[in-house]
Amino acid sequence: MKIAVYGKGGIGKSTTSCNISIALARRGEKVLQIGCDPKHDSTFTLTEFLIPTIIDTLQSRDYHYENIWPEDVIHKGYGGVDCVEAGGPPAGAGCGGYVVGETVKLLKELDAFNEYDIILFDVLGDVVCGGFAAPLNYADYCIIVTDNGFDALFAANRIAASIREKNRTHPLRLAGLVGNRTSKRDLIDKYVEACPMPVIEVLPPIENIRVSRVKGKTLFEMVGSEPSINYVCEYYLNIADQILSQPEGIAPKEIPDREFFSLLSDFYLNPINDEEQGNNQENLLGFTMI
């Protein structure tokens, strides 16, 4: 099974991806996580250092693919999860998307795709064009990481459009949304009401999730010294279980951009406070509480 994780830049895709990878490994799966970002820091919390990238290795071998072996580019991470970083050109020079395409090409030549139960692509931000869309050509499922904010959901809607387009020629399905570190989900619910799609999980704003990134450790590793956060791991295990159930998924039908802006702008400009919401619910029940 191949899974592509997308979402707005800075939303917590890499932290989410690493913890999902560990959760899948805990369920007995052999997992490879591929970082598809020129910053090459997707797998940092699995390996605790910035591993050599595909592009670094190719450059060191003068782009002779035949001189590269799996152990040159695949590195072991925490919990037995194998890790690859595509890397990219220096900032402002070259195309990072091209490197993602070359990474997929190299791994296929090394027959790496056939060595794993789960391959998880952690993809740069919400860029869904060129090489950065390449993982969608191989993925069985896409997971979109979001929060309860306007910008993240707007990015999610654009990613949904890419999934729908890829679904025309490839059996790609949207597994659903994962809400990351959000205390509310009213905007998420408003969006999925207008654009139906599954919500796999919504993680509350647990500070340890953010801290794990700074520490360079997954939540599962942090539990060793902080048993009190074991409950956080259950969120990721739940996501893993839903993925392993091979959900039907959907080919989403995104909302047109202007309609999206109107939908969520109205929600912001005309909020329903808790008292009004309670009154609305009472009216729907046909009585007024005293």
Side-chain angles (χ1 to χ4, degrees), residues 96-160:
Y98 170 78
V99 176
V100 174
E102 289 300 294
T103 296
V104 171
K105 175 183 173 182
L106 175 60
L107 292 173
K108 289 183 72 174
E109 289 192 7
L110 293 174
D111 203 31
F113 279 6
N114 296 322
E115 296 296 319
Y116 296 92
D117 302 311
I118 305 284
I119 295 176
L120 188 147
F121 296 92
D122 174 21
V123 191
L124 164 69
D126 54 355
V127 180
V128 283
C129 62
F132 292 119
L136 295 177
N137 295 324
Y138 301 97
D140 302 297
Y141 294 107
C142 181
I143 292 173
I144 302 175
V145 181
T146 185
D147 62 16
N148 197 53
F150 183 95
D151 290 337
L153 287 168
F154 181 69
N157 191 59
R158 299 295 296 164
I159 296 163

Side-chain angles (χ1 to χ4, degrees), residues 169-229:
T169 56
H170 178 70
L172 168 69
R173 310 290 283 177
L174 172 64
L177 298 178
V178 170
N180 187 44
R181 300 186 68 243
T182 180
S183 58
K184 295 183 179 180
R185 56 177 290 171
D186 47 359
L187 243 62
I188 293 174
D189 290 339
K190 184 74 173 177
Y191 173 63
V192 300
E193 179 184 349
C195 182
M197 62 180 63
V199 178
I200 300 173
E201 184 63 273
V202 177
L203 288 89
I206 301 167
E207 180 66 6
N208 291 103
I209 297 176
R210 185 190 66 81
V211 170
S212 72
R213 182 70 173 168
V214 178
K215 288 186 175 182
K217 298 180 183 295
T218 64
L219 273 298
F220 289 87
E221 187 175 2
M222 287 173 62
V223 165
S225 58
E226 302 176 62
S228 62
I229 66 173

